[in-house]
């Protein structure tokens, strides 16, 4: 929405200034990036080269893991904060909306996962947090061969748990057609990430659960779109 745009402008500008391949909006002579065109808000951003990896390879997985870690480490110097609009309140509201319309097996699974997530919330609140992309699927990255040329689509970016952001990435970049993890790609992402920012001792025990909680967020949004288009 229009009120959120200044946050995205400043975030992408900041990340670009910190060496990440992020499309920072162009600014006019008065250093303004946000303008209006025929009554609508508009931004002008650079067009990056490269292609979305159809099936990421291990090198690309390592590269994107390291880039995500650099983004997380950059949080210390960024003063603005945006809460996750797909966070606790949204999850609870959408769950209650979906439970009456789901088949029995999906309703039981959803309720189980939501209950588990809610029980863990007090412990998760103390984990390292800061800038997160929130939606770094492989179609939001651009590569020229194995060189990362762009990270795009920051409109889910917010202040959230670093390990959650990493789990969102892993669930997409490292999964196979039979819904398992490709061990080589999984290790590549984790090694790439931890070569820049090692996971803390507090984060590590939550990793398996975080993969489920990250999947839960996208399952909820897909279910909501399916049953309430």
């Amino acid at each position: 929405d229009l009120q959120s745009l200044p946050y995205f402008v400043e975030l992408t500008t900041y990340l670009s200034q910190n060496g990440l391949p992020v499309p920072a909006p162009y600014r006019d002579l008065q250093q303004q990036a946000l303008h209006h065109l025929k009554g609508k808000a508009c931004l002008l951003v650079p067009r990056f080269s490269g292609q979305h990896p159809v099936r990421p390879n291990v090198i690309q997985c390592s590269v994107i893991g390291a880039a995500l870690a650099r983004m997380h480490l950059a949080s210390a110097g960024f003063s603005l904060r945006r809460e996750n609009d797909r966070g606790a309140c949204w999850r609870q509201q959408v769950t209650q909306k979906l439970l009456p319309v789901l088949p029995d097996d999906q309703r039981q699974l959803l309720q189980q996962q939501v209950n588990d997530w809610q029980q863990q919330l007090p412990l998760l609140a103390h984990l390292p947090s800061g800038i997160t992309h929130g939606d770094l699927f492989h179609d939001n990255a651009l590569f020229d061969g194995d060189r990362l040329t762009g990270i795009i689509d920051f409109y889910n970016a917010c202040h959230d748990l670093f390990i959650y952001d990493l789990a969102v990435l892993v669930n997409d970049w490292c999964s196979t057609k039979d819904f398992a993890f490709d061990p080589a790609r999984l290790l590549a992402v984790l090694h790439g990430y931890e070569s820049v920012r090692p996971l803390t001792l507090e984060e590590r025990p939550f990793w398996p659960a975080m993969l489920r909680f990250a999947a839960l967020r996208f399952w909820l949004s897909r279910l909501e779109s399916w049953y309430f288009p």
Side-chain angles (χ1 to χ4, degrees), residues 106 109-110 113 214-224:
Q106 291 191 28
L109 178 60
L110 177 58
Q113 295 304 316
L216 173 63
R217 173 262 182 267
F218 288 94
W219 189 34
L220 282 170
S221 62
R222 299 320 191 250
L223 285 174
E224 183 182 33

Side-chain angles (χ1 to χ4, degrees), residues 92-148:
Q92 292 165 356
Q93 291 171 359
V94 173
T95 297
Q96 294 308 311
K97 184 179 177 182
L98 287 168
L99 286 176
V101 300
L102 291 178
D104 288 343
D105 57 341
Q106 291 191 28
R107 181 168 59 250
Q108 292 172 7
L109 178 60
L110 177 58
Q111 190 68 73
Q112 176 189 16
Q113 295 304 316
V114 169
N115 289 344
D116 187 20
W117 169 69
Q118 289 176 330
Q119 290 175 4
Q120 299 290 339
L121 274 179
L123 299 174
L124 299 176
H126 302 292
L127 298 181
S129 61
I131 296 170
T132 57
H133 184 282
D135 193 29
L136 193 42
F137 286 26
H138 65 276
D139 58 357
N140 282 330
L142 296 167
F143 278 83
D144 182 1
D146 291 332
R147 182 175 66 89
L148 178 65

Side-chain angles (χ1 to χ4, degrees), residues 10-30:
E10 297 306 322
L11 175 62
T12 52
T13 299
Y14 173 77
L15 293 176
S16 177
Q17 291 172 345
N18 277 266
L20 285 153
V22 171
Y26 292 114
R27 296 175 183 260
D28 62 19
L29 294 177
Q30 287 72 45

